[in-house]
Amino acid sequence: MAEQSELNRLFWQSRRGMLELDVLLVPFVKEVYPGLDAEDQRRYRKLLSCEDQDMFGWFMQRGEPEDEDLRRMVRMILDRVQPK
């Protein structure tokens, strides 16, 4: 039960109110987050604490986070949606 409530909380935190972020974060938390190891889950939660404008810039590839954890998570999310 606690795991499902945690996923529900993360789902709502992933809804940022900015379409560009929502289309990346919501499917990621639903489809990928449950299978991540504990460290990557921690990194995702850390990403959610960032400002929307910062995340928007990172996901639009106008810059990268200075923090290595955040950089890894941004890359992981982008790799899901970008063609190779």
Side-chain angles (χ1 to χ4, degrees):
M1 184 69 170
E3 186 174 309
Q4 186 58 48
S5 100
E6 172 76 1
L7 284 173
N8 290 342
R9 187 180 63 77
L10 289 171
F11 170 80
W12 288 107
Q13 285 183 327
S14 296
R15 293 193 57 179
R16 308 302 282 209
M18 183 183 290
L19 180 62
E20 296 85 351
L21 295 178
D22 290 353
V23 299
L24 292 171
L25 298 177
V26 170
F28 186 86
V29 80
K30 284 177 157 181
E31 299 164 12
V32 178
Y33 180 88
L36 295 176
D37 65 32
E39 272 303 297
D40 282 338
Q41 287 183 350
R42 180 192 61 77
R43 288 180 182 106
Y44 185 77
R45 291 190 305 271
K46 183 176 181 179
L47 178 68
L48 291 180
S49 71
C50 295
E51 295 291 326
D52 290 356
Q53 291 303 318
D54 291 334
M55 284 195 284
F56 179 79
W58 300 333
F59 288 124
M60 297 301 117
Q61 298 180 324
R62 295 181 182 150
E64 288 189 327
E66 291 180 19
D67 183 284
E68 187 176 325
D69 284 342
L70 296 175
R71 219 175 16 252
R72 174 179 165 77
M73 192 51 51
V74 167
R75 177 59 31 216
M76 187 182 295
I77 293 168
L78 286 175
D79 284 349
R80 278 189 78 242
V81 296
Q82 292 179 332
K84 301 286 181 211

